[in-house]
């Protein structure tokens, strides 16, 4: 159904248990938060300002509100998470989400170029919201991935117009295991990104990574947004575990392996795919009649209507998916 | 130093471990969240609309923003958490915190009456922020408690002027164990309150309790504020555990017992108290010279300067405080 | 170039001069504001709650923010003034502008029906912004008009889904003189609208008309938005003049007459129209080379590029346009 | 009653009449707006970035929102206009008004120093709103004035802590005519101020003066706040008139002369003053019984209750006050 239906990966849970009785200072100033940050810096192979937040929408809201001036908006594709599935969280901070058409969930460098350029040409645009940054997700909401070439082109446009590029990595691990970008490359091709924990083995938690210094008084900013946990250890301990012995990538790889097995089986059974996704989310087109049957045995996510008689559903794998799960699935599909 | 320096109470942790592999639906629609709500309703002995949020500032922000109209503000004491220690989280939602002077951390019914009455008398007040609700904390930020009589008087004023009364119960359990109000009484003397989990045995989490129906589309409102956890089970499971076999009150009682032993010892040693607190937070006045010594051995919270040569510090107990901890403390105090 | 390049219509100015020395109470509580409201009620032939605001964006911002709940957004066409030419004023109040595709600047009843219906069908939409009201302009930004049939259909959909329909009447008079809707009909086919003054003979000022009671404490709300003029008379006196002896409609009719003469001449000269506008704004497609020439003699508004070699420009008439102006124009066109 | 009960000064009105038929570009880009800016620069004897806004609350809201970061608040006295008489307009932008106690309406340099210093000493203040700027009004809401010495001390503190000092000059002219500060001195002792037009002879309008460059894209920011008038000429023409032949100061001087005559007479009649105001607003303490009588003949502003049997009322002069008005007043006082 999705990649957040179980609790934490056993190793993450184990870390919480092991450290539970330790007396640690609050608000993210604890030892484990510090360790986790160091490990992440090592992973991405550069210095960075890192902050832990409990959920993805919260993270998007905080980063975008922090990077934009009041008169600026954020560019995103129409299918971007911030555009349509965050209940107006971005607008709630006073900023417009400026949507461009997606190509299989992705934002095209050319479209951004064309859109932004006109703010510097033609007559003046003082009555319009200025583009202030660019938001993409990796993988996208459709499970697709930017190739290295695509991301490079997009970042080139961003740099040219001095628009910070922010990557929503809610499922970053799955993307890294399935695509042609290493984490070092990804980190070098944006200004800020977040490493999703909730959907990759944690109980909750995302790590914001600012390549340059974070905006001034960012901890106060987080507090103001209501997102500073008293027991910041909850996030620190989990991320410390996720970045010990490459757990984060191991979890991700496992989910991708399971997804590819599932994809193969779906192909064999002649399922039509709504989109060709290389990651842990697969979108298939099913007849409505058949769906009634499937519903009795399989938990899936309704994605959207395809036409009068068909529906697109999402099947997802995660760290918790086993081969047995996949096998069982195909008893009913 | 505070009541959030350890992780979760062992029974709460145990519940997280036990349920970790269960596949549960997201966003707070899981079985444990439902169970926890039922148990809380039973505890307060009435029906209620209940929602779980990960932290206290987030909770205050969401409740206050949901209850106020745009032209309204929230009345609170000058020392209230929302007034001074939430980095402007309330103002960030567009609302003024209208501060009245505290009496040992408490808000006086008379002061509210006097303040609000003038909006209905004299000349018009169209150029002023209207009082739209009243915020108090129980226990207060100074560890003090409203007596049943005080809270009744305050709520009478609120009802007279149709101002919802909201109680911040970050440390609710400690208050209930130390004061003369039962939970049923407290619930009947306000419109909304929250049951603090983070400081009373949980890893994170607070439970908002609306006695009447929650504002329309409240889940969307929570999502918009970035406060809806994908793995809502994290909060549901913990609150289910806290309200099983009266764990919440047992934890609280233990902390109060430890605090009273500590308080007695402090009195014996002739420490001066900044305030007479019956709860798990004790505020003592210490000479700055002596403080240098104490600092080497004891973790405490700096509270505020008392005068040129003295400082007020906070000592707190929690579920995790043992008699040995208290004894050890007095080797250095 | 536009319909706000001169000051006030002479009769409006005369009223300001005549009343200048009178001592009047402030903030819109003066005699003339009251008179103007009565005259407007008579004009629309129904009771209404009326408020004067100095400009159109301010008005849109205030009405939309007042009518929406926090979790709601406003539906508008992609070319709507609130969608693209108010610098994010709506988002600045925390609300999303939910754009649907325009048909010659207009919003189709069917498109609204289809968009809104899905919030009541399919799976739940708790993670999405709820449609909370509908915004249209009459005339539209392209000078086009809803027919009585179109507006009736649209309002039927709005009523069915309990979405208030709000009409931006920045150029209302011009629309009424050119279309098939009387003011009474228009007023009966929406919930709120504003009567534009700035572009129809006033120095500044728009009149918000709530058919039902205005939202509670609306004056305070206006003040909070910084839009309450101390000398509210400035708006009251002007609107009193505009609605004395049908000045508002006489001004509008004159502009439409001039526009139709201009349109005929343009047709004669084989100009291509970007859109067939029956109102005071005409949009023609001009070769870029020719434009260089025109620029020397004529003030026009650049509208948008048409293609590589052509540009769309706007020509507008107003109360101040004379036959001589139009004749002079065609010396250069 | 107040200083906004008449329309415009005759010379201001004359300018509006004279320029009414001129075709001018919109949104403040007209010739008169430019001229007015030049004249103001000459008056204050320095370069400056100047913008015209239609009212005072709007102006305060825009300047404060533009200068503060999200995590910052504005320091003001508890009786400051932004603190209590703008219906929460500042909080509506997301910022806290941090109030210090007034001394006859004024903010003391020492109080600011003490308040701000603690943010740089003691333990950390990450959970508190940071002071981001300082707001004062000149004259204050009580008609009192900062001496050159007082303002210098205050500005020194501001500069030391890098807090921009902003002066609300709603009644600036009256202050300049009554106090010991020249406009050049005042301009040199702050970072931003506004020159009040509405209460000093204009129909509406205030001029924001940034000594340094205005914040980036400030016109867009104004538009976003709904405060950009299409017919910007309305403000430009008026300010051009106010700063031609020293009209602004002549108007102000006249009002102060009338106020001083009134004050002398009040003293002769043994009226008690609530405060010793040197400007055009006088605050006297009147027995409630007597007030009933006065009410029949004199328009005054209720200020506040003094005690059970007395009330403080405000009497104000303006450009429109004549000797005859003052004489007539004393037939009833």
């Amino acid at each position: 159904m999705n990649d957040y239906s179980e609790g934490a990966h056993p190793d993450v849970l184990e870390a919480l248990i092991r450290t539970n009785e330790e007396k640690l200072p609050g608000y993210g100033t604890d030892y484990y938060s510090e360790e986790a940050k160091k490990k992440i810096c090592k992973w991405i192979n550069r210095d960075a300002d890192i902050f832990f937040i409990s959920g993805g929408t919260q993270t998007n809201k905080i980063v975008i509100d922090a990077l934009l001036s009041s008169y600026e908006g954020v560019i995103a594709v129409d299918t971007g998470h911030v555009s349509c599935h965050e209940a107006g969280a971005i607008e709630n901070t006073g900023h417009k989400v400026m949507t461009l058409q997606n190509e299989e969930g992705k934002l095209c460098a050319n479209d951004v170029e064309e859109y932004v350029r006109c703010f510097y040409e033609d007559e003046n645009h003082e009555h319009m919201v200025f583009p202030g940054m660019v938001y993409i997700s990796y993988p996208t909401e459709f499970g697709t991935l930017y190739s290295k070439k695509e991301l490079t082109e997009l970042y080139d446009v961003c740099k040219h117009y001095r628009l910070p590029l922010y990557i929503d990595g809610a499922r970053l691990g799955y993307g890294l295991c399935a695509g042609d970008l290493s984490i070092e490359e990804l980190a070098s091709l944006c200004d800020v990104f977040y490493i999703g924990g909730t959907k990759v083995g944690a109980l909750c938690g995302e790590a914001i990574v600012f390549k340059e210094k974070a905006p001034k008084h960012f901890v106060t900013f987080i507090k103001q947004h209501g997102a500073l946990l008293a027991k910041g250890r909850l996030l620190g301990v989990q991320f410390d575990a996720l970045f010990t012995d490459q757990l984060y990538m191991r979890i991700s790889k496992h989910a991708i392996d399971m997804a590819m097995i599932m994809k193969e089986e779906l192909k064999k059974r002649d399922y039509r795919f709504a989109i060709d996704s290389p990651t842990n989310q697969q979108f298939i087109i099913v007849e409505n009649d058949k769906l009634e049957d499937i519903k009795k045995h399989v938990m899936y996510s309704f994605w959207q209507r395809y036409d009068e008689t068909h529906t697109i559903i999402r099947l997802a794998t995660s760290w918790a998916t086993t081969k047995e799960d996949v096998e069982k699935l195909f008893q009913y599909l």
Side-chain angles (χ1 to χ4, degrees), chain A:
Chain A
M1 181 177 198
N2 59 49
D3 37 18
Y4 44 88
S5 57
E6 286 89 4
H9 185 278
D11 293 0
V12 172
L13 193 61
E14 173 55 34
L16 286 172
I17 298 167
R18 194 182 63 239
T19 60
N20 189 56
E21 309 262 322
E22 295 180 30
K23 285 186 203 307
L24 298 171
Y27 301 108
T29 60
D30 61 283
Y31 169 78
Y32 295 98
S33 294
E34 286 313 307
E35 279 302 293
K37 290 176 188 181
K38 280 184 210 158
K39 288 172 181 167
I40 289 172
C41 284
K42 209 171 154 195
W43 184 51
I44 65 172
N45 200 22
R46 58 164 69 225
D47 274 350
D49 253 13
I50 297 171
F51 299 84
F52 301 112
I53 302 289
S54 55
T57 296
Q58 188 74 268
T59 301
N60 286 338
K61 187 173 170 129
I62 287 173
V63 171
I64 291 171
D65 193 23
L67 292 187
L68 293 182
S69 288
S70 169
Y71 54 82
E72 293 175 334
V74 55
I75 294 175
V77 286
D78 46 5
T79 51
H81 206 255
V82 294
S83 309
C84 51
H85 286 107
E86 301 194 346
I90 304 306
E91 289 84 359
N92 181 256
T93 69
H95 300 289
K96 193 183 193 74
V97 180
M98 310 160 92
T99 49
L100 297 180
Q101 212 174 351
N102 78 90
E103 299 261 338
E104 304 208 319
K106 293 185 275 183
L107 183 65
C108 292
N110 277 349
D111 293 350
V112 175
E113 214 288 327
E114 198 174 315
Y115 182 74
V116 177
R117 191 182 54 221
C118 82
F119 280 83
Y120 294 85
E121 296 180 355
D122 297 346
E123 306 277 317
N124 84 60
H125 288 75
E126 285 183 335
H127 294 202
M128 296 176 75
V129 176
F130 277 72
M133 66 184 286
V134 173
Y135 163 97
I136 60 169
S137 42
Y138 185 88
T140 70
E141 292 70 15
F142 290 162
T144 52
L145 294 172
Y146 291 80
S147 69
K148 189 170 167 183
K149 180 163 171 298
E150 287 169 333
L151 187 58
T152 304
E153 283 169 5
L154 182 60
Y155 193 45
D156 283 347
V157 171
C158 291
K159 282 187 294 187
H160 179 73
Y161 290 105
R162 302 189 183 201
L163 296 170
L165 176 61
Y166 165 53
I167 300 179
D168 175 336
R171 299 179 167 91
L172 183 60
Y174 304 136
L176 293 172
C177 288
D180 72 346
L181 280 162
S182 70
I183 181 61
E184 288 183 48
E185 287 167 340
L186 182 133
S188 72
L189 291 171
C190 69
D191 297 283
V192 198
F193 64 102
Y194 87 76
I195 304 168
T198 304
K199 286 157 186 166
V200 192
L203 274 172
C204 67
E206 329 293 328
I208 305 174
V209 181
F210 287 100
K211 278 166 52 186
E212 304 292 324
K213 278 207 93 48
K216 220 175 140 189
H217 288 305
F218 198 65
V219 170
T220 301
F221 194 78
I222 291 172
K223 175 75 180 172
Q224 187 181 57
H225 279 73
L228 195 63
L229 294 186
K231 294 183 180 169
R233 67 192 296 147
L234 169 59
L235 305 176
V237 167
Q238 290 185 92
F239 270 92
D240 183 55
L242 284 171
F243 287 91
T244 298
D245 297 337
Q246 308 195 302
L247 177 60
Y248 189 75
M249 290 305 277
R250 282 187 286 127
I251 285 175
S252 303
K253 176 135 193 340
H254 172 77
I256 294 298
D257 288 348
M258 292 301 105
M260 290 307 105
I261 292 173
M262 185 171 74
K263 191 174 178 178
E264 281 312 302
E265 289 293 325
L266 287 165
K267 279 185 185 167
K268 275 189 207 158
R269 279 160 176 78
D270 288 330
Y271 275 94
R272 284 158 68 202
F273 290 83
I275 206 156
D276 182 22
S277 159
T279 62
N280 74 315
Q281 301 187 87
Q282 297 295 325
F283 301 87
I284 55 174
I285 302 164
V286 184
E287 279 170 51
N288 293 345
D289 293 348
K290 194 166 175 190
L291 210 53
E292 287 306 304
D293 249 25
I294 295 176
K295 200 177 269 177
K296 291 171 196 152
H297 309 287
V298 178
M299 283 167 76
Y300 62 83
S301 290
F302 164 86
W303 199 248
Q304 57 179 71
R305 296 181 181 193
Y306 180 73
D307 60 23
E308 286 298 297
T309 54
H310 293 78
T311 297
I312 301 174
I313 65 170
R314 177 181 71 173
L315 298 169
T317 61
S318 78
W319 62 266
T321 309
T322 60
K323 273 195 188 161
E324 290 69 40
D325 288 338
V326 180
E327 279 161 21
K328 221 186 286 174
L329 172 70
F330 285 102
Q331 296 174 10
Y332 305 107
L333 277 189

